[in-house]
Each structure stands twice: as structure tokens, then as C-alpha cells.
Amino acid sequence: MSQPLSQQYREILVGLGENPEREGLLDTPKRAAKAMQYLCHGYQQSLEEIVNGALFESDNDEMVIVKDIELYSLCEHHLLPFIGKAHVAYIPTGKVLGLSKVARIVDMYARRLQIQENLTKQIADAIQQVTNAAGVAVVIEAKHMCMMMRGVEKQNSVMSSSVMLGAFRESCNTRHEFLQLIGRNN
């Protein structure tokens, strides 16, 4: 970038017709730049760094589920937040992933400019890559501010997206068990 991010936020304020020199806005460009860098810190993380070797030997070959993982992301189309929860499951094949690592993987991808459909797939692919699981399932349910605050202004709409890999894609029973355990009866 040719200008620091804070200077670009100052220009946005001017472009909106605001006076960046007024008392309430004096430090806003710096605060906004710092906030955006935090909201997008997933770009500075890698899967290897997040997992940090937290794979453990296990005889378990039954479904492992972490549900209701809160997530906060920014829509890549409008730079507005979408907020929701992710439900992640996998079927181990000799190794299990440290519990907090599942949530950290969700966060890493959520803290990038995103669309929900891609976020769902990125999480599923990452869990598959790290665990070499027999199957991975991810469901995300989120409310999108770009839909609530502008455009159609629909306050109660929730977007659901899912990705099913391996046993979750191939077996209706496995998929049904997962959906039932996360409270989505289909």
C-alpha cells in the first residue's frame, strides 16, 4: 500500500463528507485501522501454526463433534460482518485433534474476508488435511449484516451452509447422525 491503513480510513471519512478533524473522529482512522487488522488477522496465521502438532494417537473411530463454535467474519463483498456458529465433526482414523484446535481453525479462516460458502469448505478441507479423517462435516449458520443493514433489510434471515466429505457424504446414516446431534433434523 502506498499509504498507511489509517490514512486510507481518514480518506474514507472525507469521502463520506465527514470532518476527520472534529473531536469525535480525531483518532478514528487509527482505531479503524487497528480494528480491521484484528478482524482480518487470519491472514497472518497458517494451518501448521494453529495445529502446532496437537494430534494425538487414539483408537476412537467414532464421530467427534464440536458444535456451536461462535464465529465472526467480514463479507468480502461489502466488508460488513457476518456472525454465527459453526458445527464441525470428523471421524478419526488413528489420531484426534486437540479440541481447541478445531475452534482455532474456524477462527483462522473466519478472520479473513470471506463468503460463508467458501468459509465452510475451507474449514472442512483443513480438518480433513490435518486429521486424515474418514469423513468431515461442517455446518455454518450465520446472520449477515449486508442483508440486515442494507439492501433487502431482512432482520431474521439466517444463512446455512454445509460441506460433507468422505463418510458424511457417502453415508446417509452418518450424515443424519451428525445433523441430529447438532440439532438439525432433516
Side-chain angles (χ1 to χ4, degrees), residues 6-7 9 12 27 66-67 73 76 86 88 90 95 97 101 105 108 113 120 122 125 133 135 140 162 176:
S6 60
Q7 181 60 34
Y9 272 106
I12 289 171
D27 290 329
V66 184
K67 67 182 208 171
S73 194
E76 67 185 33
V88 178
Y90 68 98
K95 293 195 183 267
L97 183 59
K101 304 308 182 183
I105 289 169
M108 180 183 73
L113 301 179
T120 310
Q122 290 167 353
D125 289 344
I140 294 178
S162 70
H176 179 73

Side-chain angles (χ1 to χ4, degrees), residues 55-74:
L55 277 172
F56 307 103
E57 297 288 330
S58 176
D59 293 341
N60 180 33
D61 62 356
E62 296 294 325
M63 193 181 305
V64 174
I65 301 174
V66 184
K67 67 182 208 171
D68 296 326
I69 303 167
E70 60 202 47
L71 68 85
Y72 307 92
S73 194
L74 291 174

Side-chain angles (χ1 to χ4, degrees), residues 75-104:
C75 160
E76 67 185 33
H77 298 140
H78 301 100
L79 300 183
L80 290 173
F82 63 94
I83 300 164
K85 55 189 174 179
H87 312 290
V88 178
Y90 68 98
I91 300 172
T93 56
K95 293 195 183 267
V96 293
L97 183 59
L99 177 60
S100 71
K101 304 308 182 183
V102 176
R104 290 181 191 280

Side-chain angles (χ1 to χ4, degrees), residues 33-176:
K34 188 175 180 180
M36 186 59 80
Q37 288 167 334
Y38 179 79
L39 294 173
C40 294
H41 72 263
Y43 290 115
Q44 276 68 58
Q45 298 176 309
S46 70
L47 190 54
E48 296 74 28
E49 160 186 292
I50 293 293
V51 172
N52 195 26
L55 277 172
F56 307 103
E57 297 288 330
S58 176
D59 293 341
N60 180 33
D61 62 356
E62 296 294 325
M63 193 181 305
V64 174
I65 301 174
V66 184
K67 67 182 208 171
D68 296 326
I69 303 167
E70 60 202 47
L71 68 85
Y72 307 92
S73 194
L74 291 174
C75 160
E76 67 185 33
H77 298 140
H78 301 100
L79 300 183
L80 290 173
F82 63 94
I83 300 164
K85 55 189 174 179
H87 312 290
V88 178
Y90 68 98
I91 300 172
T93 56
K95 293 195 183 267
V96 293
L97 183 59
L99 177 60
S100 71
K101 304 308 182 183
V102 176
R104 290 181 191 280
I105 289 169
V106 169
D107 282 345
M108 180 183 73
Y109 290 108
R111 294 302 187 152
R112 299 174 182 187
L113 301 179
Q114 282 288 8
I115 61 171
Q116 183 175 328
E117 299 90 336
N118 290 349
L119 175 59
T120 310
K121 182 155 178 32
Q122 290 167 353
I123 294 166
D125 289 344
I127 298 291
Q128 177 64 50
Q129 177 185 333
V130 167
T131 63
N132 196 29
V136 175
V138 177
V139 169
I140 294 178
E141 303 161 310
K143 290 188 166 216
H144 292 250
M145 296 301 133
C146 58
M147 190 136 155
M148 297 169 71
M149 296 176 67
R150 54 161 303 283
V152 296
E153 296 184 26
K154 298 300 176 203
Q155 305 307 306
N156 297 307
S157 60
V158 176
M159 179 178 172
S160 294
S161 54
S162 70
V163 171
M164 307 286 168
L165 304 175
F168 290 96
R169 182 184 269 301
E170 296 157 7
S171 168
C172 289
N173 289 338
T174 304
R175 184 171 47 255
H176 179 73

